[in-house]
């Protein structure tokens, strides 16, 4: 590849610098979110002691909810805090002067937002949760153990349902793997990274607003197609007492999609992530102040 477009050594140096800048811009906020479960545990415990109810230990259910909410906040805030400065005339101009190509800058952004930040978050958050459960056994299972137990239980339920239906119902046990949702998490970070590069202010809020508008537009387009096309055939099938096997023969794509749901999910997420990455690249390449 042309040295002006991509150079591995230059890319490595730039990535290291980019990570250091990300820590400087978002490090404190990151630590607050990575330790929010421990903070909540201490606050709840001290509060219950003050009111005379004794020390209350947060169990796995509230800790899971807290982690989910924190992960959403991380996805919304991290891209804007780390790279939102690019749209600012003063700081953004210095970014444009950095001796790295647009491709290298884009790849670095994607690696930081989609790999470094979520990996570091889960590593710190889950490690603290595991230590907390070892110190206070009244907290119950750690999140790591709870996720593993939940995955095992769901695998058994999916496998049992598939066997009882003579494999008519596909075995969706692959959907219980946390790794399957890595591309979905990356998609969220990419969306808000693109929003951070497009908008000059209120970046997360405007990105959410655009997502709502896009969802409404897609629903307005898809609903008439589904209602006047697919639904008519479903009603016809129901009126003629069509068996499930015959129904799948009438809708071969539906049958294939259900049997290959994991593949469909991976393909769709990959297409969206590639599209978002390309959009981010062109935004970085064409940005002006």
């Amino acid at each position: 590849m042309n040295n002006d477009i991509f150079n591995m050594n230059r890319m490595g140096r730039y990535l290291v610098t980019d990570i250091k800048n990300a820590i400087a811009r978002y490090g404190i906020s990151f630590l607050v979110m990575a330790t929010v479960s421990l903070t909540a545990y201490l606050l709840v415990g001290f509060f219950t002691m003050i009111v005379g109810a004794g020390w209350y230990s947060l169990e796995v259910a509230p800790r899971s909810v807290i982690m989910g909410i924190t992960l959403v906040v991380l996805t919304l805030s991290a891209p804007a805090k780390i790279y939102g400065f690019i749209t600012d005339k003063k700081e953004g101009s210095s970014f444009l002067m950095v001796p790295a190509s647009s491709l290298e800058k884009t790849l670095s952004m994607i690696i930081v937002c989609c790999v470094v930040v979520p990996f570091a978050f889960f590593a710190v958050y889950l490690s603290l949760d595991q230590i907390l459960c070892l110190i206070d056994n009244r907290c119950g299972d750690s999140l790591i153990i709870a996720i593993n137990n939940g995955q095992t239980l769901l695998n058994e339920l999916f496998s049992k349902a598939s066997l009882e239906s003579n494999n008519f119902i596909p075995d969706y046990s692959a959907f219980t793997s946390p790794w399957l949702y890595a591309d979905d998490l990356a998609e969220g970070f990419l969306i808000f990274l693109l929003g951070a590069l497009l908008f000059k202010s209120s970046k997360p809020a405007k990105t959410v607003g655009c997502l709502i508008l896009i969802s409404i537009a897609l629903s307005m387009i898809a609903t008439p197609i589904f209602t006047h096309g697919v639904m008519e055939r479903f009603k016809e099938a129901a009126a003629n007492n069509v068996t499930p096997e015959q129904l799948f023969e009438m809708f071969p794509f539906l049958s294939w999609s259900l049997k290959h749901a994991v593949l469909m999910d991976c393909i769709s997420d990959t297409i969206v992530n590639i599209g978002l990455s390309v959009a981010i690249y062109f935004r970085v390449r064409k940005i002006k102040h």
Side-chain angles (χ1 to χ4, degrees), residues 253-266:
F253 180 73
L254 175 63
S255 175
W256 187 90
S257 299
L258 290 174
K259 292 179 180 178
H260 302 86
V262 174
L263 178 61
M264 286 289 293
D265 176 73
C266 292

Side-chain angles (χ1 to χ4, degrees), residues 11 15 19 106-118:
M11 171 67 196
L15 178 60
I19 293 174
T106 301
L107 289 175
S108 180
M109 288 179 179
I110 293 172
I111 291 172
V112 170
C113 285
C114 299
V115 180
V116 176
V117 170

Side-chain angles (χ1 to χ4, degrees), residues 42 123 158 179 186-187 189 199 220:
L42 294 174
F158 282 130
W179 294 106
E187 183 179 323
F189 277 100
F199 304 114
M220 293 176 66

Side-chain angles (χ1 to χ4, degrees), residues 32 37 70 94 123 146 164 250-251 263 272 284 287:
V32 170
S37 183
T70 307
S94 62
E164 289 179 350
M250 292 176 60
F251 300 94
L263 178 61
V272 172
V284 171
I287 193 167

Side-chain angles (χ1 to χ4, degrees), residues 8-256:
M8 184 61 73
N9 291 331
R10 186 174 62 208
M11 171 67 196
R13 293 194 300 269
Y14 179 77
L15 178 60
V16 171
T17 303
D18 204 18
I19 293 174
K20 291 179 180 178
N21 291 335
I23 294 173
R25 294 179 181 276
Y26 195 65
I28 295 176
S29 299
F30 174 85
L31 288 176
V32 170
M33 282 186 280
T35 59
V36 69
S37 183
L38 177 61
T39 304
Y41 167 83
L42 294 174
L43 288 175
V44 171
F46 282 124
F47 177 78
T48 54
M49 283 192 67
I50 292 172
V51 299
W55 186 273
Y56 177 79
S57 301
L58 284 178
E59 298 181 353
V60 66
R63 297 201 322 274
S64 300
V65 173
I66 292 172
M67 185 180 76
I69 295 173
T70 307
L71 185 58
V72 172
V73 175
L74 182 79
T75 306
L76 270 65
S77 64
K81 291 282 287 185
I82 297 173
Y83 295 110
F85 73 93
I86 294 175
T87 58
D88 180 72
K89 184 175 182 180
K90 182 179 179 180
E91 291 188 89
S93 298
S94 62
F95 169 80
L96 296 178
M97 298 299 293
V98 173
S101 69
S102 298
L103 178 60
E104 291 164 348
K105 292 176 181 178
T106 301
L107 289 175
S108 180
M109 288 179 179
I110 293 172
I111 291 172
V112 170
C113 285
C114 299
V115 180
V116 176
V117 170
F119 179 81
F121 171 77
F122 283 118
V124 176
Y125 197 102
L126 295 178
S127 296
L128 288 177
D129 184 81
Q130 184 70 50
I131 294 172
L132 180 64
C133 292
L134 290 174
I135 295 174
D136 186 354
N137 55 19
R138 290 179 298 176
C139 289
D141 291 334
S142 66
L143 290 174
I144 296 175
I145 295 175
I147 292 171
N148 183 66
N149 291 341
Q151 182 180 357
T152 302
L153 177 60
L154 288 174
N155 283 340
E156 293 175 355
L157 291 175
F158 282 130
S159 299
K160 183 179 179 181
S162 180
L163 290 173
E164 289 179 350
S165 63
N166 295 320
N167 294 322
F168 178 74
I169 298 176
D171 186 359
Y172 292 126
S173 57
F175 277 104
T176 64
S177 173
W179 294 106
L180 184 65
Y181 302 96
D183 52 0
D184 297 278
L185 183 60
E187 183 179 323
F189 277 100
L190 289 175
I191 289 172
F192 286 93
L193 174 58
L194 181 59
L197 299 177
L198 289 175
F199 304 114
K200 291 185 178 295
S201 61
S202 304
K203 301 171 186 289
K206 290 180 179 178
T207 305
V208 172
C210 287
L211 290 175
I212 294 173
L213 292 176
I214 292 172
S215 299
I216 293 173
L218 291 176
S219 297
M220 293 176 66
I221 296 172
T223 300
I225 298 174
F226 182 79
T227 302
H228 298 294
V230 179
M231 282 301 296
E232 292 295 330
R233 299 189 66 185
F234 270 114
K235 291 179 181 178
E236 180 184 347
N240 295 326
N241 296 320
V242 173
T243 63
E245 291 81 0
Q246 293 172 326
L247 184 64
F248 279 155
E249 291 178 2
M250 292 176 60
F251 300 94
F253 180 73
L254 175 63
S255 175
W256 187 90

